[in-house]
Amino acid sequence: EIVLTQSPATLSLSPGKRATLSCRASQSISSSQLGWYQQKPGQAPRLLIYDASSRATGVPDRFSGSGSGTDFTLTINRLEPEDFAVYYCQQYRRSPHTFGGGTKVEIK
Amino acid sequence: EVRLVESGGDLAQPGRSLRLSCAASGFTFDDYAMHWVRQIPGKGLEWVSSISWNSDSIGYADSVKGRFTISRDNAKNSVYLQMNSLRAEDTAFYYCAKNLQKQVLYAAFDCWGQGTLVTVSS
């Protein structure tokens, strides 16, 4: 099983700042089969990034993904009020399709 | 518009069974793998099960293997999760999700239902 470790657990930032979220895999995820999801309270997760760096339909360009192998990053430039949420990474390289434990981006 | 609507969540006693359903619309259902993901309230996401577009490939998390069965009916645009021998630790919101890419099993999940709550308690 590929274990995904997200850091930090909580990120406290002000609107307008840049958020950098990390996702580290216990083994290499070849073909960059990693996605990022946003979840707000009371809502289902929403796909933001797939294949490590491709934005899903309708996702603003302030969201970007990067990385390969075992280290991946989600960057949110110029945080908007609606970006404060929990973010999860997920690998779909092999079964089980594991998720990271999440990073909460909160308003400072 | 792609839409997934789960149903079947309920309060069940330990050891009992429940069947969750997910009705899909707005896309060619039989082209896409489908998935179930669960979330204990206030906690993280846990992948539960996946089924390929033609039901040839199926996978389960170790935590549910042997107790849960995923299936789909492409004529009814629906995917199901039969949950047997329920345990307290199965208490969670259960989401169904659609695969991003056609006719592959391993891809991101690009559309999610609103979830249905399963509570296992005596």
Side-chain angles (χ1 to χ4, degrees):
Chain A
E1 172 175 325
I2 298 176
V3 177
L4 300 179
T5 302
Q6 290 188 243
S7 61
T10 303
L11 196 53
S12 299
L13 292 168
S14 302
K17 297 297 186 184
R18 173 184 296 173
T20 303
L21 287 66
S22 172
C23 177
R24 178 162 290 174
S26 60
Q27 53 189 281
S28 178
I29 302 175
S30 57
S31 305
S32 296
Q33 288 175 287
L34 183 120
W36 289 93
Y37 300 83
Q38 176 194 67
Q39 188 178 32
K40 298 179 182 179
Q43 296 185 16
R46 170 197 180 197
L47 177 65
L48 296 176
I49 300 289
Y50 64 95
D51 295 350
S53 61
S54 297
R55 267 189 301 277
T57 302
V59 175
D61 61 7
R62 64 180 180 273
F63 291 91
S64 63
S66 62
S68 63
T70 60
D71 290 296
F72 298 86
T73 300
L74 174 69
T75 301
I76 313 171
N77 287 309
R78 304 178 307 279
L79 280 164
E80 297 283 345
E82 62 267 28
D83 299 337
F84 292 92
V86 180
Y87 294 83
Y88 295 95
C89 59
Q90 181 211 19
Q91 67 80 21
Y92 40 90
R93 174 68 180 92
R94 64 173 62 95
S95 185
H97 305 253
T98 43
F99 289 89
T103 291
K104 181 180 182 180
V105 179
E106 65 177 23
I107 300 176
K108 186 174 181 180
Chain B
E1 178 196 2
V2 174
R3 194 162 182 239
L4 300 172
V5 179
E6 301 95 338
S7 60
D10 204 348
L11 171 64
Q13 292 182 326
R16 307 290 283 196
S17 299
L18 281 176
R19 188 192 195 210
L20 305 184
S21 300
C22 173
S25 59
F27 64 101
T28 305
F29 183 73
D30 56 10
D31 270 344
Y32 294 88
M34 297 294 294
H35 313 275
W36 287 97
V37 176
R38 68 184 180 183
Q39 184 173 38
I40 297 170
K43 302 297 184 184
L45 301 171
E46 180 189 16
W47 171 77
V48 173
S49 184
S50 297
I51 185 167
S52 63
W53 65 99
N54 57 5
S55 303
D56 277 0
S57 294
I58 285 174
Y60 299 98
D62 285 347
S63 57
V64 307
K65 200 172 294 182
R67 300 187 298 121
F68 290 10
T69 303
I70 192 172
S71 62
R72 64 189 294 159
D73 185 337
N74 287 344
K76 294 184 177 179
N77 287 358
S78 294
V79 60
Y80 308 98
L81 188 67
Q82 178 67 41
M83 310 165 66
N84 297 334
S85 303
L86 283 164
R87 304 169 180 167
E89 54 264 36
D90 296 320
T91 295
F93 284 98
Y94 284 74
Y95 296 98
C96 72
K98 168 189 166 289
N99 222 39
L100 173 65
Q101 294 171 289
K102 289 183 184 179
Q103 297 184 356
V104 298
L105 185 57
Y106 297 104
F109 303 171
D110 71 332
C111 185
W112 298 59
Q114 84 289 349
T116 188
L117 179 61
V118 171
T119 303
V120 183
S121 175
S122 54

